[in-house]
Amino acid sequence: RAIALQPDYAWALGQRGELHRLNGDHARAVIDLSKSIALDPKSAWSWASRGASHRTTRRLHEAWSDLTQAIALDPKYAWALANRGMTLFDLGRYTDALADLDRSIALDPSNPFAIGRRAETNVELRRHEAALADSTPMDRERTIEMAREASVKEARGDGKALIEQRPEIIDAAL
């Protein structure tokens, strides 16, 4: 109703876009968030929300661009940093992803999303001890499995390679 009364109300458009995003309607989310950004280009929140929609729909370069803009507007925006970190992860840029996730966690040390994603990133970087340090007892099994999968990827040359278990990772988790 607020948008019907005032069609150029950036905040209301952004809120409606965020509701679309949360409900999984990313096409409508991007439309509303784009309108909100056009009206208020200094809204880090709108840029970050649109970036999150792009990431969910695997438009990773658009996601990275929007999240980078959000961070430029608000360098201490932990949620945007975590989302850009995951976008970089999805792009295979693990070292860059880790830097963003570290910055996000420094700003918000209790964010389970960023901590869990940092564990996954550390597995990809073969930093298994660091991955386990971020794991809770409940998700240590998952971290160990991810480490095993990383070993498989590393060892799989012709698809028949003998896979070495990494006992030091398993021992550290127990």
Side-chain angles (χ1 to χ4, degrees):
R1 186 162 185 233
I3 296 168
L5 293 172
Q6 189 176 351
D8 61 347
Y9 190 15
W11 181 86
L13 286 162
Q15 290 296 315
R16 187 172 72 183
E18 178 67 0
L19 289 173
H20 289 310
R21 185 184 76 78
L22 293 172
N23 285 315
D25 189 348
H26 297 286
R28 290 175 74 185
V30 167
I31 290 168
D32 279 346
L33 289 162
S34 295
K35 289 176 184 177
S36 178
I37 290 167
L39 294 165
D40 183 8
K42 293 184 179 182
S43 171
W45 177 83
S46 293
W47 286 100
S49 291
R50 188 173 76 175
S53 270
H54 285 315
R55 181 175 168 266
T56 300
T57 58
R58 309 299 294 163
R59 293 193 315 264
L60 300 176
H61 294 287
E62 291 97 331
W64 179 85
S65 180
D66 281 358
L67 292 161
T68 297
Q69 181 61 32
I71 295 162
L73 291 166
D74 183 356
K76 294 183 178 183
Y77 196 171
W79 187 80
L81 282 160
N83 273 281
R84 188 175 73 175
M86 282 317 303
T87 300
L88 290 164
F89 179 95
D90 292 342
L91 289 166
R93 294 174 51 190
Y94 304 120
T95 302
D96 295 330
L98 186 60
D100 274 357
L101 292 165
D102 283 343
R103 282 180 57 203
S104 175
I105 292 165
L107 293 165
D108 183 5
S110 63
N111 182 338
F113 168 76
I115 293 167
R117 296 306 186 242
R118 184 172 70 178
E120 291 179 32
T121 304
N122 276 317
V123 167
E124 290 297 325
L125 291 169
R126 296 186 191 96
R127 297 181 54 200
H128 302 297
E129 302 263 341
L132 286 169
D134 279 340
S135 300
T136 65
M138 197 157 110
D139 64 9
R140 281 185 185 262
E141 251 183 67
R142 182 167 181 262
T143 303
I144 291 167
E145 186 57 35
M146 288 168 34
R148 284 184 181 146
E149 288 173 17
S151 293
V152 169
K153 290 177 190 175
E154 183 181 342
R156 192 184 299 153
D158 60 356
K160 297 179 184 178
L162 184 61
I163 306 306
E164 174 188 335
Q165 295 288 332
R166 295 188 184 241
E168 70 277 5
I169 309 288
I170 295 165
D171 291 343
L174 299 176

